[in-house]
Amino acid sequence: MTEALFSPLKLGAITLSHRVVMAPLTRMRAAQPGNVPGELNVEYYRQRASQGGLIITEGTQISPSGQGMPATPGIHSEAQIAGWKAVTKAIHEKGGFVFLQLWHVGRISHSSLLNGRLPVAPSAIPAPGNAFTATFDRAPFETPRALETHEIASIVEDYARAALSAQRAGFDGVEIHGANGYLLEQFLQRRSNQRTDAYGGSIENRSRLVLEVAHAVSAVFGADRVGIRLSPFGVANGSGEDDPLPLYTYLIERLAGLGLAYLHLIEPRASGAGQAEVDHQNVPFSSELFRPYWPNVLIAAGNYQPGTAAAAIDEARADAVAFGRLFIANPDLPERARRGLGLNPYNRATFYGGGAEGYVDYPTCEASVQTEPG
Ligand SMILES: Cc1cc2nc3c(=O)[nH]c(=O)nc-3n(C[C@H](O)[C@H](O)[C@H](O)COP(=O)(O)O)c2cc1C
């Protein structure tokens, strides 16, 4: 039933031996001080690595101003690069591949995380809802500071520098986080971008920063080791484009021209980005809508089970499927999917922050079998 998930897939410069991808998952457990990946994080990723399988890391800030939550890891200090080196080594030792998700949160931050400075964004428009503060409390989003035109080039440089650091840390590639209401999506969408310079207004202008970042990161790593994640129908973090098709068709066609290894699309059915049990039925698959514009590998994500994922591949709606919440609760998800075994339920209360509980203590199927009575 799930055979379609277990055939090899050439993904740019690497070849996967199966198509059960681990989605990027923020867990807010980086070691302190310094937001450095530590031993606990190494263990978490080691548990989820599989022979020939792809892991996409949690969103990782490219610069101090790109941080939006406490205890999320960065890739802008030497200590962080060393911490990530231990993670990539552990994954490679199990025969797996790992891409780092490059993250700048833009307005989805709080001054308590930014040395008292306001978050930056395309326009001075606050996101609705509450930010995480440095002390894991919640406070209303502040009105961000609109970036000056001359500052934008340095953001692009931060992405390129982060890609270089990822290369030094042993990553197989990087994924540009262009989804879920963070900085790049804030630039893409009219609701958060009301600029009047070359980065606002028309679809071409609103797409400019994403394309510059994709170009700069590809120049560092090679386009065949770069992917991008988009959520054309997303509503996370105050995002939401009224008419996504023209914007995203243009953007995806341009990205295709750069020859990136993969496009990672979040399905409209999962528009809450895993924050709520959103499940919109009777909406089109974004993988189906945008497939005609994308010649390379397409990864779909959002509310998939192994069975529905295999169907998506069989029906050529996607080449691989990324799993988020199921991978949190099932460190050996590919093995369970291959053998058609049951899955551990996830515990939402331990998604963000904390220690080993709900992080490295979910049992593998071997352990589950051993603990069953009789
Ligand atoms: C705890 C949690 C953290 C997440 N962190 C990220 C992240 O860092 N970057 C990202 O692109 N998506 C993130 N997401 C979204 C997931 O990658 C995925 O798209 C979403 O959970 C829907 O897939 P699922 O139904 O398989 O869980 C997160 C989701 C959850 C539940």
Side-chain angles (χ1 to χ4, degrees):
M1 262 186 343
T2 57
E3 286 86 6
L5 292 170
F6 295 95
S7 60
L9 177 65
K10 186 164 161 26
L11 180 117
I14 63 176
T15 301
L16 307 180
S17 57
H18 66 79
R19 296 153 186 246
V20 181
V21 173
M22 179 170 164
L25 292 160
T26 291
R27 305 302 309 276
M28 292 163 55
R29 285 167 167 89
Q32 301 306 322
N35 300 320
V36 176
E39 252 320 299
L40 187 64
N41 312 117
V42 173
E43 178 56 17
Y44 165 78
Y45 282 109
R46 179 190 292 120
Q47 289 178 354
R48 284 158 182 76
S50 63
Q51 180 66 41
L54 176 64
I55 288 176
I56 303 163
T57 70
E58 63 209 277
T60 299
Q61 51 261 9
I62 58 165
S63 61
S65 73
Q67 183 178 358
M69 286 147 221
T72 54
I75 185 85
H76 51 80
S77 76
E78 287 303 317
Q80 290 163 347
I81 295 170
W84 281 119
K85 245 183 211 164
V87 172
T88 61
K89 183 165 176 279
I91 294 170
H92 289 150
E93 277 170 4
K94 285 182 75 178
F97 297 102
V98 57
F99 275 43
L100 180 76
Q101 193 183 47
L102 299 177
W103 196 26
H104 191 305
V105 299
R107 66 180 184 170
I108 306 301
S109 186
H110 190 264
S111 52
S112 63
L113 293 160
L114 305 172
N115 280 327
R117 285 195 208 88
L118 283 175
V120 295
S123 300
I125 305 168
N130 289 314
F132 267 106
T133 68
T135 49
F136 286 82
D137 295 315
R138 306 306 297 256
F141 282 114
E142 298 152 312
T143 301
R145 180 177 71 77
L147 285 160
E148 303 286 341
T149 306
H150 69 83
E151 291 177 283
I152 293 180
S154 71
I155 301 247
V156 177
E157 278 165 27
D158 288 342
Y159 274 96
R161 192 175 311 109
L164 196 61
S165 300
Q167 207 171 36
R168 285 176 51 212
F171 283 97
D172 298 292
V174 288
E175 175 175 288
I176 299 164
H177 194 345
N180 294 348
Y182 297 109
L183 183 73
L184 295 180
E185 195 173 87
Q186 289 159 31
F187 268 86
L188 285 175
Q189 299 193 351
R190 201 178 282 284
R191 189 174 295 199
S192 43
N193 180 347
Q194 291 179 5
R195 301 179 71 89
T196 52
D197 63 4
Y199 293 90
S202 64
I203 282 176
E204 290 78 0
N205 282 357
R206 284 184 279 136
S207 302
R208 190 177 309 282
L209 177 60
V210 177
L211 292 169
E212 286 180 358
V213 166
H215 187 76
V217 166
S218 299
V220 170
F221 234 114
D224 58 356
R225 290 180 180 272
V226 176
I228 186 161
R229 189 170 219 218
L230 301 174
S231 48
F233 297 88
V235 295
N237 292 315
S239 61
E241 182 75 355
D242 291 336
D243 186 10
L245 277 179
L247 169 64
Y248 283 93
T249 304
Y250 169 83
L251 177 64
I252 288 169
E253 280 185 304
R254 289 302 160 110
L255 289 166
L258 297 179
L260 302 192
Y262 71 85
L263 171 64
H264 185 177
L265 288 177
I266 303 176
E267 297 288 0
R269 293 171 304 137
S271 52
Q275 307 306 309
E277 306 294 343
V278 191
D279 191 1
H280 305 293
Q281 299 297 339
N282 305 317
V283 287
F285 286 96
S286 47
S287 43
E288 230 163 7
L289 286 173
F290 297 108
R291 179 120 225 179
Y293 309 103
W294 186 257
N296 292 343
V297 166
L298 198 152
I299 302 178
N303 279 0
Y304 279 98
Q305 297 281 329
T308 52
I313 292 167
D314 268 336
E315 291 161 19
R317 282 184 269 116
D319 301 301
V321 173
F323 296 85
R325 291 164 290 178
L326 293 186
F327 237 122
I328 288 179
N330 296 277
D332 55 346
L333 184 63
E335 181 61 10
R336 286 175 187 256
R338 196 177 61 76
R339 290 165 59 184
L341 301 177
L343 301 178
N344 301 320
Y346 51 80
N347 176 9
R348 188 173 286 282
T350 51
F351 277 1
Y352 299 107
E357 190 198 346
Y359 192 55
V360 293
D361 61 353
Y362 285 106
T364 61
C365 56
E366 310 302 341
S368 310
V369 169
Q370 278 160 21
T371 55
E372 261 167 23

